[in-house]
Amino acid sequence: MSRYLAATETDARPAPDRRRTLRQILIEDFFYGPGAILCTLLLCALLAIAAWKLLDWALLDAVFGPTETLDASQACRAEDTEGACWAVIGDKLRLILFGLYPYDLQWRPGLACVLMIALYALSVQRALWRPALAGIWVVFLVAVLILMRGGIAGLEPVGDDQWGGLPVTLILSTFGLGLAFPVAIALALARQQRRFPMLQAASVGVIEFARAVPLVVVLFMASVMLPLFLPADWQVSKLLRVLIAFTLFGAAYLAEVIRGGLQAIPPGQYEAASALSLTYAQSMRDVILPQALRIVIPGIVNIFIGFFKATAIVVVVGIFDLMTAAKRAVADPLWQGFGIEVYLFAGLIYFVFCFSLSRFSARLERDLARDRAS
Amino acid sequence: MAMAKLPSRWRTAGAQALVFALVGLSLMWIFAVTGAELRSRGIETGFAFLTEPARTALANAPFAFTAGEDSNALALLAGAVNTLKISALVIVLASLLGLGLGLGRLSRNRLLRGTCLFYIEMVRNVPVLIHISLCYALVLALPAPRESQPVLGMLVTNRGLFLPTPTAEPLWLISGASGIVTCLILLAIRRRGGGWMAGNLVLTLLTIAAMALPWLLSGRSPAMSVPQIAGFRVNGGLSLSPELAAIVVALTLYTATFLAEIIRGAIQSVPRGQWEATMALALPGGTVRRSVIYPQAIRVALPAMSNEYIGVIKNSSLAVVIGYQEIVGIGNTVLFDTGQAVEVMAVLAGFFIVVSLGFSGLMNLINARLSWGDR
């Protein structure tokens, strides 16, 4: 037997050096063939020109504020300025961020925004993914409502027709998602079960209707039709009507994501639950939903990103969100024609939120895949 | 406990009847309230308003439309045509851009890969409405027709986009026919295999040559209608209004990023063994991608892409924000003219449901034709 065994011990060798020199990187990744050389050089030239033009417009030639002789908007309109007019952002910052909220009280929407951002930061911590998270959401959202509405704790009441800007965008997406979540679970369960065909048909109808019709039409329905459906003496504010539309619309999309999670649970889990003679409610609450929701969290985050971007559409029914605030800033005769700067600024705010959420979602998907594999 | 003794079939039926009764009662309540509300406002319910003449003129009607003569139904039809026009343009353009970006994301060239990723991340994390408003502001900031310089016969101005088009000329028919016949003959030779076969480049060049031949023989230059600046206006050529140009460009740039990620994911989903198998067979790169990788990737990508395409049709309704009159914009006008809120909303919802379902049915058909069946 000993013939097959090595007689001498082999020394352990270090792992091969995978680092490449700069020259190797350049040749292997940028200049590996005639086509690649052409492509790289062409792209370099194009990017350099674009970067230079952008720098010129956005910084070198830009107007940031009033000069010695001219006030800010005159400086932007002067004959020799070709660049961006960032002065409009400086002048309209409070309008874009907080809309028409009483100027002296704008610390309240500011604090509400901070609270909602903190809520997101808490919700993305995996250590906090437990039922108590729902409680945290309720506490934060009630605090946000109190800050915005006032009327108690010595805060001056402010009607929701005066709310505006970033807090409205955050409120629509956060409250919309928070309220849509239970509705979505109900819709998904109703669609998934087989015992009540009528309920199932109703759920399919709601989901498919909301997914086939554009949000603009749903919002018009909420603002034009909902008042007709309710008795004349019921006063439902415009913001609340839009929030209801948002909730139902979002619930339909969310329900499909959750249904995907329900379908991914192996049938053995359902069978094990009924073998333990758990009731339907118990087996869903304690066995199926905790697993299903965990799987679909990346999907839920993606829905939320879509939701967050979709709130901009409320501009068509006249709700004062970030997008409407940007439009209103441009509508000021003093600043007419500087839409590009204002929309870029508003776009940047949306980008910061959506990009960080999508990074989080991508990392989460990777982590969950790794956990499942191990 | 008495409930538990009933057979479960009866309990199920009872529960269903309860749900049905609740839904029915709330619907009846809504109808009663709505009816009272409408009567108090003096609005007749029903779809009679569709045949009444429209009160407001249309800004971008695709056909001749006179307010006060033509019906509301015709106005809504004009809107539907505009919606489909935007959607068709965006679907074609975004697919091309998305394919380019998706392949660019997979390129070995790191600069190209990085540029595509940067573009995708910058564009898709911003609401499409911001893109539309931004594009519209950009179009309005372009030079006026008098101050703009034509590029390849195209005019890009703040009055819209003007493209040269072929004029109605019988010779174009002959030219087109000769091109198609040449192309088909070359393809037939290629399909038969063996002997001489035209490569893609040769095929394209020969087809163009065949199209040019009738013009050369007649000794005339191809008849084109090139946009001409005449004072404040532009005559001739095909014109896209600033609103249409803005919505098409914005939706194309936005949708392409999602299509690119779908295409990239689909190509990456083809198992590595497939690439290795082609290497083992020593197939050339172009053949590998054309006949091994892409056919598998397209089957993965198609369902997700058809969702995006339906999204385009729905997003085209956002043109209402910059005042382009597609079906939602015109529906709004009709609603304010007649006050028929419920009926107009029903028409709009019905249109989108029919178009969405029709489109997804079409894509399912294509999917079924493409699929290999269960294996």
Side-chain angles (χ1 to χ4, degrees), chain A residues 28-30 32 40 195 197-198 211-212 214 216 220 225 228-230 253 309 312 323 350-351 354-355, chain B residues 12 16 30 33-34 108-111 121 124-125 127 129 133-134 254 314 318 332 341 345 352-353 356:
Chain A
E28 285 168 16
D29 290 356
F30 295 96
Y32 49 85
T40 304
R195 260 180 82 185
M198 216 101 93
R211 280 159 45 94
V216 178
F220 276 133
M225 268 164 67
L228 297 178
F229 287 165
L230 298 173
Y253 282 85
K309 289 190 290 178
M323 178 74 208
Y350 282 108
F351 177 83
C354 295
F355 184 70
Chain B
T12 311
Q16 287 214 66
I30 286 176
V33 168
T34 312
R108 197 180 141 190
N109 190 329
R110 222 151 99 180
L111 187 64
E121 290 295 348
R124 73 168 176 175
N125 282 312
L129 214 50
S133 304
L134 206 52
Y254 182 75
K314 291 195 284 174
L318 295 177
N332 245 342
M345 286 299 150
F352 281 103
I353 289 173
S356 293

Side-chain angles (χ1 to χ4, degrees), chain A residues 20 25 27-30 32 35-37 39-41 43-44 47 195-199 208-217 220-221 224-225 227-232 234 249 253 305 308-310 312-316 323 326-327 339-341 343-344 346-348 350-352 354-355 358-359, chain B residues 8 11-13 15-17 19-20 23 29-30 33-35 37-38 41 43 107-113 115 121-130 133-134 137-138 141 254 258 307 310 313-315 317-318 320-322 328 332 335-336 339 341-343 345-346 348-350 352-353 356-357:
Chain A
R20 297 181 293 172
I25 291 177
I27 289 177
E28 285 168 16
D29 290 356
F30 295 96
Y32 49 85
I37 293 172
C39 174
T40 304
L41 292 180
L43 260 181
C44 274
L47 289 177
R195 260 180 82 185
F196 305 111
M198 216 101 93
L199 198 60
E208 294 306 329
F209 176 82
R211 280 159 45 94
V213 174
L215 182 58
V216 178
V217 174
F220 276 133
M221 284 181 176
V224 187
M225 268 164 67
L228 297 178
F229 287 165
L230 298 173
W234 285 24
F249 188 77
Y253 282 85
I305 296 172
F308 190 84
K309 289 190 290 178
I313 298 174
V314 296
V315 68
V316 296
M323 178 74 208
K327 255 195 146 58
I340 297 172
E341 290 86 345
Y343 292 130
L344 277 180
L348 182 71
Y350 282 108
F351 177 83
V352 168
C354 295
F355 184 70
S358 75
R359 288 291 85 200
Chain B
S8 75
R11 262 185 19 214
T12 311
Q16 287 214 66
V19 169
F20 195 60
V23 172
W29 182 69
I30 286 176
V33 168
T34 312
E37 183 76 27
L38 290 176
R41 294 191 192 184
I43 299 170
S107 165
R108 197 180 141 190
N109 190 329
R110 222 151 99 180
L111 187 64
L112 183 60
R113 226 159 55 203
T115 310
E121 290 295 348
M122 288 306 284
V123 169
R124 73 168 176 175
N125 282 312
V126 173
V128 62
L129 214 50
I130 294 266
S133 304
L134 206 52
L138 278 170
Y254 182 75
F258 292 91
N307 268 344
I310 292 175
I313 299 173
K314 291 195 284 174
N315 275 341
S317 60
L318 295 177
V320 72
V321 181
I322 53 172
V328 175
N332 245 342
L335 195 158
F336 283 112
V342 182
E343 294 84 351
M345 286 299 150
L348 293 186
F352 281 103
I353 289 173
S356 293
L357 290 184

Side-chain angles (χ1 to χ4, degrees), chain B:
Chain B
M1 273 293 109
M3 270 297 274
K5 289 216 177 92
L6 282 170
S8 75
R9 197 150 47 93
W10 287 102
R11 262 185 19 214
T12 311
Q16 287 214 66
L18 198 69
V19 169
F20 195 60
L22 273 176
V23 172
L25 277 178
S26 34
L27 279 180
M28 274 163 66
W29 182 69
I30 286 176
F31 281 135
V33 168
T34 312
E37 183 76 27
L38 290 176
R39 268 192 302 282
S40 76
R41 294 191 192 184
I43 299 170
E44 287 285 318
T45 49
F47 287 92
F49 74 98
L50 283 176
T51 52
E52 286 166 14
R55 275 178 231 167
T56 312
L58 303 183
N60 315 88
F63 44 74
F65 184 89
T66 331
E69 275 176 35
D70 292 317
S71 67
N72 282 321
L74 203 65
L76 287 168
L77 183 71
V81 171
N82 279 347
T83 295
L84 296 177
K85 187 161 80 183
I86 300 173
S87 311
L89 279 170
V90 172
I91 285 176
V92 171
L93 295 175
S95 299
L96 293 175
L97 183 58
L99 184 67
L101 284 170
L103 294 179
R105 280 275 273 124
L106 293 169
S107 165
R108 197 180 141 190
N109 190 329
R110 222 151 99 180
L111 187 64
L112 183 60
R113 226 159 55 203
T115 310
C116 290
L117 180 65
F118 180 76
Y119 171 80
I120 290 172
E121 290 295 348
M122 288 306 284
V123 169
R124 73 168 176 175
N125 282 312
V126 173
V128 62
L129 214 50
I130 294 266
H131 288 301
I132 294 171
S133 304
L134 206 52
C135 276
Y136 193 46
L138 278 170
V139 170
L140 294 185
L142 286 170
R146 270 188 310 174
E147 288 145 24
S148 64
Q149 296 296 321
V151 183
L152 297 171
M154 285 189 297
L155 272 177
V156 182
T157 73
N158 64 356
R159 293 296 182 85
L161 215 66
F162 300 90
L163 310 169
T165 43
T167 44
E169 175 86 26
L171 212 51
W172 273 113
L173 278 179
I174 304 172
S175 157
S178 112
I180 292 171
V181 168
T182 313
C183 187
L184 285 179
I185 291 174
L186 289 173
L187 280 177
I189 294 175
R190 192 150 95 172
R191 180 165 294 181
R192 211 185 53 208
W196 177 82
M197 279 186 280
N200 282 339
L201 185 66
V202 176
L203 193 133
T204 314
L205 288 178
L206 282 178
T207 306
I208 292 174
M211 285 182 74
L213 198 63
W215 297 105
L216 285 175
L217 290 179
S218 70
R220 287 191 296 157
S221 60
M224 297 288 281
S225 163
V226 180
Q228 297 289 335
I229 302 163
F232 291 106
R233 292 165 44 85
V234 176
N235 295 327
L238 175 78
S239 69
L240 268 71
S241 69
E243 292 80 21
L244 183 64
I247 182 92
V248 168
V249 169
L251 278 182
T252 300
L253 295 179
Y254 182 75
T255 311
T257 62
F258 292 91
L259 291 175
E261 287 298 277
I262 292 170
I263 290 167
R264 177 188 63 84
I267 292 176
Q268 280 181 334
S269 80
V270 176
R272 217 176 43 207
Q274 298 287 324
W275 289 96
E276 288 163 357
T278 59
M279 273 183 245
L281 291 171
L283 293 178
T287 315
V288 168
R289 287 196 294 275
R290 208 171 40 244
S291 47
V292 180
I293 306 301
Y294 293 161
Q296 300 186 64
I298 189 80
R299 288 166 170 80
V300 176
L302 209 59
M305 282 173 73
S306 67
N307 268 344
E308 282 307 318
Y309 291 153
I310 292 175
V312 168
I313 299 173
K314 291 195 284 174
N315 275 341
S316 71
S317 60
L318 295 177
V320 72
V321 181
I322 53 172
Y324 184 76
Q325 299 231 295
E326 41 66 66
I327 192 162
V328 175
I330 291 176
N332 245 342
T333 313
V334 173
L335 195 158
F336 283 112
D337 284 347
T338 63
Q340 308 277 356
V342 182
E343 294 84 351
V344 170
M345 286 299 150
V347 169
L348 293 186
F351 169 76
F352 281 103
I353 289 173
V354 167
V355 171
S356 293
L357 290 184
F359 194 86
S360 62
L362 185 75
M363 290 311 262
N364 281 345
L365 218 66
I366 296 175
N367 217 1
R369 282 284 303 272
L370 279 180
S371 82
W372 291 289
D374 289 326
R375 285 187 302 179

